Amino acid sequence: MAAPPEWLSIAQIVTTHGVRGDLKLRPLTDDPLRLKELKTVSAHLADGSREELTVEDVVLRKDGVLMARFRGYDAPEPAARLRQAWLQVPYAEAKRKPGQILYADVLGLQAVDDASGTPIGEVVEVLRAGQDLLEIRRPDGSEVYVPWVDAFVLKVDREAGEVRLHLIEGMLE
């Protein structure tokens, strides 16, 4: 089983907005205001460097746009340096609601046919589309995709290192 990631992305900075250094964010979490609970956040910048940012303000506007301001970035020119940065928290500190599974939690787990107990392959990615898909790499290197819905993904067991799947005819072809 692959090791969990070191960092978990919770938002991406899209662009600057206004004259006070406000930044428009694209949230990557089901709780866009999660960032408001944090005092600091790690920014993985487009140039590959990392910077710790102190959160000053986070607002979810009525139009659904998430805006943030960080200490030391009080004008558009310096804030522009943060464009396209990924805002991240340490994976080990990621908040979960009871029973909640994060996308990163399934990466590296073994996909197993629940009916037969047969291993299918390793979950290598979760593709976000109209319906989220588990991308599973089979031992022969081929890939199959399983919709992440309760009818097919029966159980995610991080301790056992597996995802139990209900497969239907033709699903793995």
Side-chain angles (χ1 to χ4, degrees):
M1 180 172 86
E6 182 179 355
W7 296 98
L8 185 66
S9 296
I10 59 172
Q12 185 178 30
I13 296 174
V14 178
T15 191
T16 58
H17 178 78
V19 296
R20 299 182 321 167
D22 291 342
L23 293 157
K24 191 180 289 190
L25 307 180
R26 180 174 59 92
L28 301 171
T29 172
D30 59 352
D31 181 7
L33 290 176
R34 158 96 167 88
L35 190 60
K36 193 172 192 142
E37 300 169 10
L38 303 174
K39 291 183 181 5
T40 61
V41 65
S42 181
H44 185 233
L45 301 167
D47 67 6
S49 65
R50 186 170 289 282
E51 180 178 338
E52 187 168 296
L53 300 175
T54 300
V55 179
E56 285 193 342
D57 193 25
V58 176
V59 175
L60 184 60
R61 296 188 333 199
K62 288 181 182 180
D63 62 2
V65 174
L66 187 63
M67 302 296 295
R69 191 171 323 116
F70 301 100
R71 182 174 296 143
Y73 292 93
D74 54 2
E77 294 77 16
R81 170 177 187 277
L82 300 175
R83 273 190 277 206
Q84 301 307 307
W86 296 95
L87 300 180
Q88 301 176 323
V89 296
Y91 175 79
E93 297 173 18
K95 287 180 129 182
R96 293 173 183 79
K97 296 174 185 168
Q100 182 182 28
I101 302 293
L102 304 177
Y103 289 151
D105 291 340
V106 300
L107 300 179
L109 298 184
Q110 187 66 225
V112 176
D113 179 353
D114 192 58
S116 67
T118 305
I120 299 162
E122 179 184 352
V123 179
V124 294
E125 188 63 72
V126 177
L127 303 174
R128 297 182 74 179
Q131 176 57 60
D132 295 340
L133 299 169
L134 295 180
E135 181 180 337
I136 301 167
R137 183 168 300 126
R138 301 183 74 163
D140 67 4
S142 64
E143 295 168 345
V144 293
Y145 301 90
V146 174
W148 191 340
V149 294
D150 292 344
F152 300 128
V153 179
L154 302 178
K155 182 178 183 183
V156 175
D157 188 340
R158 293 173 54 210
E159 289 75 33
E162 63 183 27
V163 178
R164 304 294 289 197
L165 302 175
H166 169 72
L167 302 175
I168 58 174
E169 188 176 332
M171 185 176 272
L172 299 180
E173 296 172 8

